[in-house]
Amino acid sequence: MIAIPTSWTPGALLKLETERFVLRTMTREDVDDSVVAWLANPEVMVGLNLPRRRMTRAQAVRWALSYDNATKFMVLVCAKDSGEKIGFFTLTIEGAHRTAETAVVVGAQHWWGKNVVAECRAVLMDFLFDTLNMHKVIGRPHGRNMSSIFNYKKMGFTCEAVLRQQMRAIDSGEGEDKRLDQLIFGMLRTEWHARKAGEAA
């Protein structure tokens, strides 16, 4: 049984655990060559429909530290047994409406297809709903990110909308305008708790 903190102070470093992984606030020391390489890998960034980001380590550190650990989180995922850095989640909190948005990058490609996202997102959902008292969590994958769509469906999120041709594909060539749909997935706190109760039964 994984314990979720019942209270947390905005700005404090976050640390959560699953059976296989440790999730913790990305710090200056965490931003090493492997993290910089993820951002520069087009196979990794295409899942977010973002261009590869050729950053120096100093630039990547500034980017990571722009997350204030209060309304915006960058949460590093590490293997519990080896400490290997695997990827990161971002969480964006809208406090007035008690909603949160999640996104994820699995940078270590040999971990693709090994249930990293579902296992880690579950503990983040517990934190968002039970510690931060969020009412709803959403995700907004583009229509070509089939692994992300699969994970949202697997976890019981509802596809609430499809924004047709919402995004220009990052791999559009000169003079091209390839378009991508964007899907809006949502999970209410009551739905998450009901799902967990059903699994426990």
Side-chain angles (χ1 to χ4, degrees):
M1 182 80 176
I2 302 298
I4 303 299
T6 55
S7 63
W8 173 81
T9 302
L13 297 182
L14 180 64
K15 184 177 180 180
L16 304 169
E17 294 186 8
T18 73
E19 295 299 329
R20 296 185 295 161
F21 306 111
V22 175
L23 293 81
R24 55 184 172 80
T25 299
M26 181 94 77
T27 65
R28 178 186 302 274
E29 293 73 25
D30 290 322
V31 184
D32 58 12
D33 290 343
S34 64
V35 174
V36 173
W38 298 343
L39 303 175
N41 186 340
E43 293 182 357
V44 172
M45 299 305 287
V46 73
L48 298 176
N49 194 44
L50 292 174
R52 56 186 297 185
R53 305 182 71 164
R54 297 179 183 270
M55 290 184 176
T56 65
R57 181 180 179 274
Q59 290 171 327
V61 166
R62 286 196 295 272
W63 174 62
L65 296 183
S66 70
Y67 287 76
D68 62 9
N69 221 44
T71 60
K72 298 193 307 177
F73 299 76
M74 182 176 287
V75 182
L76 181 68
V77 177
C78 299
K80 186 181 286 187
D81 58 355
S82 67
E84 178 189 4
K85 296 181 179 72
I86 295 171
F88 61 88
F89 281 80
T90 60
L91 311 176
T92 304
I93 307 299
E94 177 49 72
H97 302 291
R98 290 170 43 222
T99 60
E101 181 175 344
T102 72
V104 62
V105 169
V106 179
Q109 289 173 271
H110 58 279
W111 280 94
W112 289 5
K114 296 184 179 178
N115 203 40
V116 174
V117 173
E119 183 174 331
C120 292
R121 184 178 277 133
V123 77
L124 290 172
M125 298 282 282
D126 285 340
F127 172 71
L128 290 168
F129 285 134
D130 298 339
T131 304
L132 299 191
N133 195 32
M134 293 292 104
H135 179 75
K136 183 178 183 179
V137 174
I138 69 167
R140 299 190 292 174
H142 62 74
R144 202 163 56 181
N145 190 343
M146 300 310 296
S147 61
S148 186
I149 293 169
F150 171 83
N151 277 304
Y152 281 117
K153 289 181 176 179
K154 177 182 179 181
M155 296 188 72
F157 280 72
T158 298
C159 184
E160 300 180 348
V162 177
L163 307 181
R164 297 179 301 156
Q165 300 185 23
Q166 176 75 2
M167 309 167 72
R168 185 172 186 266
I170 194 61
D171 57 353
S172 294
E174 186 174 348
E176 289 185 302
D177 191 25
K178 291 192 288 187
R179 308 295 300 184
L180 300 175
D181 294 344
Q182 186 175 43
L183 286 72
I184 311 297
F185 283 93
M187 173 80 76
L188 303 178
R189 181 171 58 179
T190 52
E191 295 170 336
W192 178 247
H193 287 163
R195 182 178 178 84
K196 289 185 65 180
E199 291 173 351

Short mmCIF file of all heavy atoms in Angstrom, two decimals, residues 25-53:
data_model
loop_
_atom_site.label_atom_id
_atom_site.label_comp_id
_atom_site.label_asym_id
_atom_site.label_seq_id
_atom_site.Cartn_x
_atom_site.Cartn_y
_atom_site.Cartn_z
N THR A 25 10.10 16.21 -7.14
CA THR A 25 10.32 17.50 -7.80
C THR A 25 11.66 17.50 -8.53
O THR A 25 12.69 17.11 -7.97
CB THR A 25 10.31 18.62 -6.75
OG1 THR A 25 9.04 18.66 -6.10
CG2 THR A 25 10.58 19.97 -7.40
N MET A 26 11.65 17.94 -9.78
CA MET A 26 12.88 18.08 -10.55
C MET A 26 13.70 19.23 -9.98
O MET A 26 13.22 20.36 -9.88
CB MET A 26 12.55 18.35 -12.01
CG MET A 26 13.77 18.48 -12.91
SD MET A 26 14.25 16.96 -13.73
CE MET A 26 13.02 16.86 -15.04
N THR A 27 14.93 18.94 -9.58
CA THR A 27 15.82 19.95 -9.02
C THR A 27 16.93 20.30 -10.02
O THR A 27 17.09 19.64 -11.05
CB THR A 27 16.46 19.46 -7.72
OG1 THR A 27 17.33 18.34 -8.03
CG2 THR A 27 15.40 19.01 -6.71
N ARG A 28 17.67 21.31 -9.68
CA ARG A 28 18.81 21.74 -10.51
C ARG A 28 19.76 20.56 -10.77
O ARG A 28 20.24 20.35 -11.88
CB ARG A 28 19.54 22.88 -9.81
CG ARG A 28 20.76 23.40 -10.54
CD ARG A 28 21.49 24.43 -9.68
NE ARG A 28 20.62 25.53 -9.32
CZ ARG A 28 20.43 26.61 -10.08
NH1 ARG A 28 21.06 26.72 -11.24
NH2 ARG A 28 19.63 27.58 -9.66
N GLU A 29 20.04 19.80 -9.72
CA GLU A 29 20.99 18.70 -9.83
C GLU A 29 20.46 17.57 -10.72
O GLU A 29 21.25 16.80 -11.29
CB GLU A 29 21.31 18.14 -8.44
CG GLU A 29 22.09 19.09 -7.55
CD GLU A 29 21.26 20.26 -7.03
OE1 GLU A 29 20.02 20.11 -6.94
OE2 GLU A 29 21.85 21.32 -6.72
N ASP A 30 19.14 17.46 -10.85
CA ASP A 30 18.55 16.40 -11.67
C ASP A 30 18.71 16.65 -13.16
O ASP A 30 18.63 15.72 -13.96
CB ASP A 30 17.05 16.26 -11.36
CG ASP A 30 16.79 15.69 -9.99
OD1 ASP A 30 17.54 14.80 -9.56
OD2 ASP A 30 15.83 16.15 -9.34
N VAL A 31 18.90 17.90 -13.55
CA VAL A 31 18.93 18.24 -14.97
C VAL A 31 20.33 17.94 -15.51
O VAL A 31 21.21 18.80 -15.54
CB VAL A 31 18.55 19.71 -15.20
CG1 VAL A 31 18.50 20.00 -16.70
CG2 VAL A 31 17.19 20.02 -14.56
N ASP A 32 20.51 16.68 -15.91
CA ASP A 32 21.81 16.25 -16.41
C ASP A 32 21.74 16.00 -17.92
O ASP A 32 20.76 16.38 -18.58
CB ASP A 32 22.27 14.99 -15.66
CG ASP A 32 21.28 13.84 -15.78
OD1 ASP A 32 20.35 13.91 -16.62
OD2 ASP A 32 21.45 12.85 -15.05
N ASP A 33 22.77 15.36 -18.45
CA ASP A 33 22.83 15.15 -19.90
C ASP A 33 21.67 14.29 -20.40
O ASP A 33 21.20 14.48 -21.53
CB ASP A 33 24.16 14.49 -20.28
CG ASP A 33 25.35 15.42 -20.13
OD1 ASP A 33 25.13 16.65 -20.04
OD2 ASP A 33 26.49 14.93 -20.10
N SER A 34 21.20 13.35 -19.58
CA SER A 34 20.10 12.49 -20.04
C SER A 34 18.82 13.30 -20.23
O SER A 34 18.09 13.11 -21.21
CB SER A 34 19.86 11.34 -19.06
OG SER A 34 19.44 11.81 -17.78
N VAL A 35 18.53 14.22 -19.31
CA VAL A 35 17.33 15.05 -19.42
C VAL A 35 17.45 15.96 -20.64
O VAL A 35 16.50 16.13 -21.41
CB VAL A 35 17.10 15.85 -18.13
CG1 VAL A 35 15.94 16.82 -18.30
CG2 VAL A 35 16.85 14.91 -16.95
N VAL A 36 18.61 16.57 -20.82
CA VAL A 36 18.83 17.44 -21.98
C VAL A 36 18.65 16.63 -23.28
O VAL A 36 18.06 17.12 -24.25
CB VAL A 36 20.23 18.08 -21.92
CG1 VAL A 36 20.54 18.84 -23.21
CG2 VAL A 36 20.32 19.02 -20.72
N ALA A 37 19.11 15.38 -23.28
CA ALA A 37 18.98 14.53 -24.46
C ALA A 37 17.53 14.20 -24.77
O ALA A 37 17.14 14.11 -25.95
CB ALA A 37 19.79 13.25 -24.27
N TRP A 38 16.71 14.01 -23.73
CA TRP A 38 15.28 13.76 -23.99
C TRP A 38 14.67 14.92 -24.78
O TRP A 38 13.94 14.70 -25.74
CB TRP A 38 14.50 13.62 -22.69
CG TRP A 38 14.89 12.51 -21.79
CD1 TRP A 38 15.61 11.39 -22.11
CD2 TRP A 38 14.59 12.40 -20.39
NE1 TRP A 38 15.77 10.60 -21.00
CE2 TRP A 38 15.16 11.19 -19.94
CE3 TRP A 38 13.90 13.20 -19.49
CZ2 TRP A 38 15.04 10.77 -18.61
CZ3 TRP A 38 13.78 12.80 -18.18
CH2 TRP A 38 14.34 11.59 -17.74
N LEU A 39 14.98 16.11 -24.35
CA LEU A 39 14.37 17.29 -24.96
C LEU A 39 14.84 17.49 -26.40
O LEU A 39 14.14 18.12 -27.20
CB LEU A 39 14.68 18.53 -24.13
CG LEU A 39 14.24 18.48 -22.66
CD1 LEU A 39 14.72 19.72 -21.93
CD2 LEU A 39 12.73 18.34 -22.56
N ALA A 40 16.01 16.96 -26.71
CA ALA A 40 16.56 17.09 -28.06
C ALA A 40 16.20 15.93 -28.97
O ALA A 40 16.54 15.94 -30.15
CB ALA A 40 18.08 17.22 -27.98
N ASN A 41 15.49 14.94 -28.44
CA ASN A 41 15.17 13.73 -29.21
C ASN A 41 13.82 13.92 -29.90
O ASN A 41 12.78 13.97 -29.24
CB ASN A 41 15.11 12.53 -28.27
CG ASN A 41 14.91 11.21 -29.01
OD1 ASN A 41 14.46 11.19 -30.15
ND2 ASN A 41 15.26 10.12 -28.36
N PRO A 42 13.78 14.00 -31.24
CA PRO A 42 12.50 14.22 -31.92
C PRO A 42 11.51 13.09 -31.71
O PRO A 42 10.30 13.32 -31.71
CB PRO A 42 12.91 14.36 -33.39
CG PRO A 42 14.25 13.73 -33.50
CD PRO A 42 14.92 13.94 -32.17
N GLU A 43 11.98 11.86 -31.49
CA GLU A 43 11.07 10.74 -31.26
C GLU A 43 10.35 10.88 -29.92
O GLU A 43 9.24 10.38 -29.75
CB GLU A 43 11.83 9.41 -31.31
CG GLU A 43 12.37 9.07 -32.69
CD GLU A 43 13.07 7.73 -32.72
OE1 GLU A 43 13.18 7.08 -31.64
OE2 GLU A 43 13.49 7.30 -33.80
N VAL A 44 10.99 11.54 -28.97
CA VAL A 44 10.37 11.80 -27.66
C VAL A 44 9.41 12.98 -27.74
O VAL A 44 8.26 12.92 -27.28
CB VAL A 44 11.45 12.03 -26.59
CG1 VAL A 44 10.82 12.50 -25.28
CG2 VAL A 44 12.26 10.76 -26.36
N MET A 45 9.85 14.05 -28.36
CA MET A 45 9.07 15.29 -28.36
C MET A 45 7.87 15.25 -29.29
O MET A 45 6.92 16.02 -29.11
CB MET A 45 9.97 16.47 -28.73
CG MET A 45 11.13 16.68 -27.75
SD MET A 45 10.60 16.84 -26.02
CE MET A 45 9.89 18.48 -26.06
N VAL A 46 7.87 14.35 -30.28
CA VAL A 46 6.74 14.31 -31.20
C VAL A 46 5.45 13.94 -30.47
O VAL A 46 4.35 14.32 -30.89
CB VAL A 46 7.02 13.33 -32.37
CG1 VAL A 46 6.94 11.87 -31.89
CG2 VAL A 46 6.05 13.56 -33.53
N GLY A 47 5.56 13.22 -29.35
CA GLY A 47 4.37 12.88 -28.58
C GLY A 47 3.65 14.10 -28.03
O GLY A 47 2.44 14.07 -27.80
N LEU A 48 4.40 15.20 -27.83
CA LEU A 48 3.82 16.46 -27.37
C LEU A 48 3.56 17.41 -28.53
O LEU A 48 3.07 18.52 -28.32
CB LEU A 48 4.75 17.12 -26.36
CG LEU A 48 5.03 16.35 -25.07
CD1 LEU A 48 6.04 17.11 -24.22
CD2 LEU A 48 3.75 16.09 -24.30
N ASN A 49 3.91 16.98 -29.74
CA ASN A 49 3.83 17.84 -30.93
C ASN A 49 4.65 19.11 -30.72
O ASN A 49 4.23 20.21 -31.06
CB ASN A 49 2.38 18.19 -31.27
CG ASN A 49 2.26 18.79 -32.69
OD1 ASN A 49 2.86 18.29 -33.63
ND2 ASN A 49 1.49 19.85 -32.82
N LEU A 50 5.84 18.91 -30.17
CA LEU A 50 6.77 20.01 -29.95
C LEU A 50 8.06 19.76 -30.72
O LEU A 50 8.46 18.61 -30.89
CB LEU A 50 7.10 20.16 -28.46
CG LEU A 50 5.97 20.62 -27.54
CD1 LEU A 50 6.44 20.57 -26.09
CD2 LEU A 50 5.51 22.02 -27.91
N PRO A 51 8.72 20.82 -31.16
CA PRO A 51 10.01 20.62 -31.82
C PRO A 51 11.05 20.17 -30.81
O PRO A 51 10.93 20.44 -29.61
CB PRO A 51 10.33 22.01 -32.37
CG PRO A 51 9.62 22.95 -31.45
CD PRO A 51 8.35 22.24 -31.06
N ARG A 52 12.06 19.46 -31.29
CA ARG A 52 13.16 19.12 -30.40
C ARG A 52 13.78 20.40 -29.87
O ARG A 52 13.87 21.41 -30.58
CB ARG A 52 14.21 18.29 -31.15
CG ARG A 52 14.75 18.93 -32.39
CD ARG A 52 15.68 18.01 -33.16
NE ARG A 52 16.85 17.67 -32.39
CZ ARG A 52 17.87 16.96 -32.87
NH1 ARG A 52 17.82 16.49 -34.11
NH2 ARG A 52 18.91 16.68 -32.12
N ARG A 53 14.15 20.37 -28.63
CA ARG A 53 14.64 21.57 -27.97
C ARG A 53 16.14 21.42 -27.73
O ARG A 53 16.56 20.67 -26.84
CB ARG A 53 13.89 21.82 -26.67
CG ARG A 53 12.39 21.87 -26.86
CD ARG A 53 11.63 22.15 -25.59
NE ARG A 53 11.82 23.52 -25.16
CZ ARG A 53 11.04 24.12 -24.26
NH1 ARG A 53 10.02 23.47 -23.72
NH2 ARG A 53 11.26 25.36 -23.89
#
